[in-house]
Amino acid sequence: MSTETRRPVATRFRRRFVAVVVVLVVVAAAAAVVGSQQGPRLKDVSYDATGIVSRPAQRVIITANQALQRVSARDVRVSPAAEHTVTSSGNTVAVEFAGPLDYDRDYTVTVADARAPGQAATADLRATIRTGSTDVLALVPAADGGQDRILRRSLDASGATTVYRGTGITGYVRLNRSLVVLSDTAVGDSRIDIVPLRNGVTDPDAPVEHLTLPSSRGSASALHASDDGASFGFRYADTSTGQSRDVGLYVVDLTGTHLPQPIAADGRPTTGAVPMTVTQWAYVPRTESALVRTGSDELFLVDMSGRVPAVRLGSATYLHGFVGTGTTAVVESGTGIQRLDLTDGRRTDITAPAGSTDAPYLGRIAQLTDETYLRTVGSVRSDGTIASRIVRVDGTRASRLPVSIPDDATLTAVCPSPNGQFVAVETRSSGASLVSVVDAASGALEASLAGEDVDWCGALPSGDEVG
């Protein structure tokens, strides 16, 4: 082919290429003009619907279609109102909430007057999120020698589902995808099983792991698990000699061998050690640490992973529980009830209005927020049982939470939901137990199921409680 023939082809190619480039430049310029006139637009929103109702410091990430000028907290509105902080970078805005949000609710997050760098036009970036719901587990003891059941009751649906069946169940804790079940054998010893779950119920195709306990015979109690599901612990007494020996705290590291290790006096898991004595204990929410009240009423913060030694935090005669953030515990001593800062050991007296203390019987405090808690109070009936009521304290004001408790019933537990929005109220009458889930502010009934040993109570310290 001649040079004259190839030249027009090359010329036509260059012309087409130039035309395409011109079109792209025009389109980009037009888009830039439109963007400068309209302002940024919402591109995406992401969040964890489950985490945002169960843990503090959860984020909603808002992504714009272009880079944004710096966004501050005063530029962001949340409706219904929720305390939050804001950080921004590039085209994303992160809204972090101080505490868990309410269950099963729509929230609108608005970034007001968002602006791209160098542009005059502003626009509101508005995202609506829907938070997740929750459920509650309860143990239903068997009647007439049958199998005990662990039931799950969802708050956004009717009816209850059987999660697990077994004999002699005395306790359980829920991990991420499994259930740790504590049971008594026919001869009075303890058994601990790790039961895999699928879709929230026992997985029939997965084997149950039977834990090897520290001795051939023994008794376990006060079972608790960390929030991240990496470990769980319990109090154990070796009874292989016919007497209780080495009674104390043990931990099971689920990322390791799954063999129970005693927590030594220095707060570290140590094979063969004499375990730290424990009267009450529980994991501090959202951590691998545990708050332990020993047999001599000493108080320790124990890192159950063993990375650091135990920290002594004075003494206490009773552990009530934790404030929702997890960095503060409510403890009782000879001088009264205080909030204990677990980061520095400082104590401040809890506000106790007259309406929360003017009764012969004063029960456990269930903390909802930094300034709000519930307390069981009551009088002693002629038969020795307690006629109870629930008092709600908001700052310096005490009022009765309008929850109906039958005259013949005994109030056995008051346990807040992970976000403090609801409370599981457990009562026992005529040999049967009932769990009522009520609104923590109004007392309105949300759900109920027959049973006891509510899983929400697993966040509260347990052991030989004397309150």
Side-chain angles (χ1 to χ4, degrees), residues 15 28 75 141 169 174 239 296 368 374 396 407 422 425 450 455:
R15 288 173 179 171
D75 300 320
I169 299 175
R174 177 162 44 173
T239 60
S296 57
L368 301 177
L374 303 178
T396 59
D407 293 338
F422 300 123
V425 177
D455 67 323

Side-chain angles (χ1 to χ4, degrees), residues 350-439:
I350 197 169
T351 303
S356 66
T357 58
D358 57 356
Y361 172 79
L362 301 177
R364 187 199 288 267
I365 286 175
Q367 197 82 31
L368 301 177
T369 68
D370 289 341
E371 300 297 329
T372 304
Y373 64 85
L374 303 178
R375 188 169 199 184
T376 303
V377 302
S379 56
V380 182
R381 301 187 182 102
S382 58
D383 62 358
T385 60
I386 304 296
S388 302
R389 64 184 186 276
I390 302 173
V391 173
R392 179 183 169 106
V393 175
D394 295 279
T396 59
R397 179 177 177 271
S399 59
R400 182 169 182 172
L401 188 69
V403 175
S404 177
I405 301 173
D407 293 338
D408 64 340
T410 298
L411 182 60
T412 54
V414 176
C415 306
S417 63
N419 69 351
Q421 181 182 356
F422 300 123
V423 178
V425 177
E426 183 181 309
T427 56
R428 173 175 286 274
S429 59
S430 303
S433 293
L434 177 69
V435 176
S436 302
V437 179
V438 303
D439 187 283

Side-chain angles (χ1 to χ4, degrees), residues 6 30 33 86 88 129 136 199 203 245 250 258 274 290 313 421:
R6 290 196 299 268
V33 171
V86 174
S88 66
I129 64 171
V136 62
N199 297 325
D203 186 348
R245 300 185 306 169
Y250 287 75
H258 290 204
V274 175
L313 295 171
Q421 181 182 356

Side-chain angles (χ1 to χ4, degrees), residues 167-211:
T167 56
I169 299 175
T170 59
Y172 66 94
V173 290
R174 177 162 44 173
L175 302 178
N176 294 330
R177 296 181 180 178
S178 58
L179 200 66
V180 180
V181 180
L182 172 62
S183 308
D184 280 346
T185 68
V187 294
D189 293 327
S190 291
R191 182 181 71 246
I192 297 179
D193 297 325
I194 301 177
V195 182
L197 301 179
R198 184 172 65 188
N199 297 325
V201 299
T202 303
D203 186 348
D205 300 322
V208 173
E209 179 182 354
H210 304 290
L211 210 67

Side-chain angles (χ1 to χ4, degrees), residues 170-173 182 190 192 219-225 232-236 248-250 278-283 304 458 460-465:
T170 59
Y172 66 94
V173 290
L182 172 62
S190 291
I192 297 179
S219 175
S221 60
L223 181 69
H224 292 281
F232 66 88
F234 52 89
R235 189 176 62 175
Y236 187 79
L249 184 60
Y250 287 75
V278 55
T279 302
Q280 278 182 280
W281 86 283
Y283 279 91
M304 299 290 274
L460 302 176
S462 65
D464 286 341
E465 303 179 26

Side-chain angles (χ1 to χ4, degrees), residues 122-146:
T122 63
D124 290 350
L125 305 180
R126 184 175 290 105
T128 298
I129 64 171
R130 182 74 179 180
T131 59
S133 185
T134 191
D135 56 26
V136 62
L137 301 186
L139 171 64
V140 181
D144 302 325

